[in-house]
């Protein structure tokens, strides 16, 4: 659909992962981040302009930071 009200522009997201894994130990610790710039974009839109005069959209997920621990048995 090429309607101006339902157009979703392209975007870029900065994600990252740092992992510490000792040579001996059988475990690893990681720090993960998604959308590190905390940029807002819309993943999709709903064109209700003709009936309600509005366009709704689903926003991207905000910045997320996680810690992950992994143990091998």
């Amino acid at each position: 659909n090429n309607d101006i009200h339902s157009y979703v522009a392209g975007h870029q997201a900065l994600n990252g992962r740092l992992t510490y894994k000792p040579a001996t130990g059988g475990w690893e610790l990681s720090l993960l981040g998604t959308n590190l710039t905390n940029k807002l974009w819309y993943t999709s839109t709903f064109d209700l302009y003709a009936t309600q005069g509005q366009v709704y959209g689903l926003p991207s997920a905000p910045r997320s930071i996680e810690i992950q621990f992994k143990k091998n048995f």
Side-chain angles (χ1 to χ4, degrees):
N1 187 341
N2 291 327
D3 184 2
I4 191 169
H5 300 295
S6 62
Y7 176 75
V8 176
H11 65 276
Q12 296 178 344
L14 178 62
N15 303 321
R17 178 185 185 110
L18 294 172
T19 301
Y20 173 72
K21 185 175 181 180
T24 59
W27 62 274
E28 61 185 65
L29 183 66
S30 300
L31 178 66
L32 299 88
T34 58
N35 193 11
L36 293 174
T37 58
N38 205 29
K39 183 178 178 183
L40 173 64
W41 69 86
Y42 290 91
T43 60
S44 64
T45 59
F46 304 100
D47 183 5
L48 301 175
Y49 193 79
T51 58
Q52 297 180 5
Q54 297 179 356
V55 178
Y56 295 93
L58 295 174
S60 60
R63 177 185 302 131
S64 173
I65 305 294
E66 304 172 29
I67 296 175
Q68 183 181 64
F69 178 79
K70 182 177 177 181
K71 174 71 176 154
N72 296 325
F73 295 96

